[in-house]
Amino acid sequence: MILFVGWAIAVITVAIGYVIAGPIWVKRHSLRFRVGHTLRRCSGMYGEIALVTFGAMLVYLIDQSSPSTTVDELVMARPMVSLGAVILVALVVYVHGIRTAMAAETGERGRLGFTYSIYGVFSTVFFAGGLALIALVVTQALADASNFSELSKAAIAQLPMSGEADTDTLQRGLELSYLDTQLLLSKAEDSMSPVFVFMAGIFAINLAIRLTPLRSLFINNAVLLTMVTTIIGVIAVLVVGAWTYIGYYSSFINDYLEALTEFRGFIVKANPDALERYSDIYVEMIDQKALLGFVTRISNEWGGVAAVLGVTQWIVEQFNRPEQEESPAHAHEPTEA
């Protein structure tokens, strides 16, 4: 509900802002596109509405892929922190808006100041949504680490460390422990889904900016914007991946291998089939502990989507039109759409 309300407020205020600004913003924030050999231009309002809609959809997808928390729960659990973050973002946005209005031509300052007073609400919601997205990813990563720690003890406890246990009990405990271990490690795969959704969303938005008239909203900075956001997405995946692998994935397998080593003294007295199964499990756990095994395990469907979109973005960057085509400062004045 909070996400929907924020999106609605952003759409309404950006529309009002463009209406107030009128022709002043047509030359500053317009969408440029070609119709045949004619270069046309229309209000940038449509592009900004599209961007905030893409952003809201990205937050929604991450919200749905985060089993432990939601945007509503984050805000309700920490209302004062959330309010403080919004106020801080608003201060930055309105200081920038005032400075921009004061730097404009004398006849435009009053109208631009009034425009930024409304448009600032849109900008505040937009950037606050970005903070909510980051908070959602971080909170889910911490929750996954906590849950993993609790479940790992139960998985290891399935091994019957007793010399009085019969062969059937030893085999049953070994298999149940291995099953719990695999279910637990699969949670590491799920824990990477939000950050892969985040990266896939960044690539999708970057493609929209590079391949559609949205790029003209950023004048000559579309390339810089896509590069910066791509770096942010890659860093997010690397940080969460390292946190997952070093923080609990690898350490849990080490603990489980130590438990299996201790369990060897009991299983060695069982029948050959049980001993062979023990050996297979031990080797399998060593393979899964390797970094390559971890990367293979976390490469779920969202990881595949992010990889495909990332490669597509790279290809588009190689063949995209020159950036100077986006700049409104060019000599040929476009036709109004």
Side-chain angles (χ1 to χ4, degrees):
M1 180 58 71
I2 292 177
L3 179 60
F4 176 77
V5 171
W7 171 82
I9 292 173
V11 170
I12 293 171
T13 52
V14 75
I16 295 175
Y18 271 84
V19 171
I20 295 173
I24 295 177
W25 266 6
V26 172
K27 61 183 180 181
R28 293 169 176 258
H29 305 282
S30 59
L31 297 179
R32 299 163 61 87
F33 55 95
R34 293 185 181 277
V35 179
H37 297 289
T38 305
L39 186 62
R40 294 183 177 273
R41 180 172 62 192
C42 68
S43 174
M45 175 184 68
Y46 307 110
E48 300 214 45
I49 289 176
L51 284 177
V52 75
T53 302
F54 290 158
M57 291 174 60
L58 177 56
V59 176
Y60 175 77
L61 287 174
I62 295 178
D63 184 277
Q64 294 300 303
S65 63
S66 302
S68 299
T69 187
T70 64
V71 173
D72 289 358
E73 291 172 353
L74 279 178
V75 174
M76 295 303 180
R78 302 173 180 83
M80 298 309 297
V81 173
S82 301
L83 179 61
V86 172
I87 292 174
L88 179 61
V89 172
L91 286 175
V92 175
V93 165
Y94 277 98
V95 167
H96 172 73
I98 292 171
R99 292 180 60 185
T100 303
M102 291 299 100
E105 298 176 8
T106 304
E108 297 180 349
R109 290 177 183 174
R111 191 166 188 173
L112 274 180
F114 186 31
T115 298
Y116 276 113
S117 68
I118 303 299
Y119 183 79
V121 178
F122 161 79
S123 299
T124 300
V125 172
F126 187 82
F127 290 111
L131 290 179
L133 187 151
I134 294 173
L136 195 60
V137 171
V138 172
T139 302
Q140 183 59 46
L142 294 175
D144 287 334
S146 178
N147 294 337
F148 196 97
S149 177
E150 295 176 3
L151 294 174
S152 63
K153 298 176 182 178
I156 294 177
Q158 291 281 3
L159 292 173
M161 300 294 187
S162 173
E164 300 178 357
D166 56 32
T167 299
D168 289 342
T169 301
L170 292 174
Q171 286 185 281
R172 188 180 303 109
L174 177 63
E175 293 294 347
L176 289 175
S177 176
Y178 179 69
L179 175 61
D180 287 349
T181 297
Q182 295 308 303
L183 292 174
L184 186 57
L185 294 181
S186 69
K187 292 184 178 296
E189 174 185 333
D190 296 335
S191 70
M192 292 296 295
S193 291
V195 74
F196 280 138
V197 173
F198 174 61
M199 193 168 187
I202 286 178
F203 287 148
I205 293 173
N206 286 347
L207 284 171
I209 291 174
R210 296 299 295 270
L211 293 177
T212 71
L214 286 174
R215 65 184 178 278
S216 57
L217 285 175
F218 305 98
I219 309 179
N220 290 324
N221 293 324
V223 169
L224 177 61
L225 177 68
T226 55
M227 288 178 61
V228 170
T229 53
T230 298
I231 291 172
I232 291 174
V234 171
I235 290 177
V237 170
L238 292 178
V239 169
V240 176
W243 162 262
T244 301
Y245 179 74
I246 298 174
Y248 51 91
Y249 181 93
S250 179
S251 60
F252 164 68
I253 294 181
N254 282 334
D255 293 342
Y256 189 69
L257 286 174
E258 290 179 4
L260 285 178
T261 301
E262 184 179 349
F263 184 67
R264 181 185 302 178
F266 306 110
I267 197 69
V268 73
K269 302 175 183 178
N271 58 57
D273 290 339
L275 184 58
E276 181 180 2
R277 179 59 177 154
Y278 168 85
S279 301
D280 291 340
I281 291 175
Y282 197 94
V283 173
E284 174 67 19
M285 295 306 300
I286 291 176
D287 291 339
Q288 291 185 354
K289 179 189 173 185
L291 183 59
L292 180 60
F294 170 72
V295 172
T296 301
R297 191 172 190 97
I298 65 172
S299 300
N300 57 14
E301 61 274 11
W302 278 113
V305 171
V308 170
L309 290 175
V311 172
T312 303
Q313 177 183 314
W314 180 84
I315 294 173
V316 167
E317 288 173 353
Q318 309 310 308
F319 297 99
N320 203 13
R321 290 181 294 176
E323 268 314 289
Q324 54 265 34
E325 290 189 9
E326 341 173 325
S327 177
H330 276 251
H332 300 289
E333 187 67 20
T335 305
E336 296 292 338

